[in-house]
Amino acid sequence: MTETAADVRKTGKAFGESLSDFPDLTEAERKLIDACRTGKPCNFDEEAPEIGTEANTIRPELIRFLLLGGDEKTPVHPTGVRLRGAWIGGDLDLVSCHCSRPLLLPMCKIGGELI
């Protein structure tokens, strides 16, 4: 999604700093958000997935958003982002992330690179 200067002025935030930047959440993404709010792990499978499906794919930008603490409507529990057996659909770019919450990704596959 391309962000314009007008978008930043309207919200006062850069892209990826508000849940509204992630329209059309999948069932898997809603499950992850709920788990992050309550401090519970989000488990999809005990093994790493071979392919991404709607039932196990999480956008990497959403993981970054949650790892940075979410927003007022989507607070993240201090236990952080704990995701098991999911497909991360693209590059997980954590450059310049200063996170106060842990990130655990056992048995997850990243469809791109971990940056």
Side-chain angles (χ1 to χ4, degrees), residues 69-83:
D71 62 13
E72 305 81 35
K73 296 177 184 176
T74 317
V76 177
H77 192 275
T79 58
V81 179
R82 298 184 292 163
L83 184 59

Side-chain angles (χ1 to χ4, degrees), residues 21-114:
D21 293 331
F22 303 97
D24 305 320
L25 292 169
T26 65
E27 180 182 327
E29 291 172 333
R30 285 191 297 274
K31 181 178 176 180
L32 175 60
I33 289 168
D34 289 343
C36 288
R37 282 182 178 150
T38 61
K40 297 179 180 173
C42 184
N43 297 313
F44 289 100
D45 204 333
E46 293 300 316
E47 297 182 17
E50 294 297 320
I51 60 168
T53 66
E54 179 150 336
N56 72 0
T57 299
I58 307 291
R59 285 176 272 186
E61 299 85 2
L62 181 65
I63 293 172
R64 181 183 171 105
F65 163 74
L66 293 169
L67 188 59
L68 291 172
D71 62 13
E72 305 81 35
K73 296 177 184 176
T74 317
V76 177
H77 192 275
T79 58
V81 179
R82 298 184 292 163
L83 184 59
R84 175 183 288 277
W87 182 273
I88 299 168
D91 292 340
L92 181 53
D93 184 350
L94 301 179
V95 170
S96 298
C97 275
H98 300 283
C99 305
S100 60
R101 290 161 176 82
L103 172 64
L104 301 171
L105 300 173
M107 305 311 291
C108 289
K109 287 263 182 129
I110 299 175
E113 294 188 31
L114 175 60

Side-chain angles (χ1 to χ4, degrees), residues 2-15:
T2 303
E3 180 182 42
T4 66
D7 294 331
V8 173
R9 282 192 302 274
K10 208 176 347 174
T11 65
K13 296 184 176 189
F15 176 79

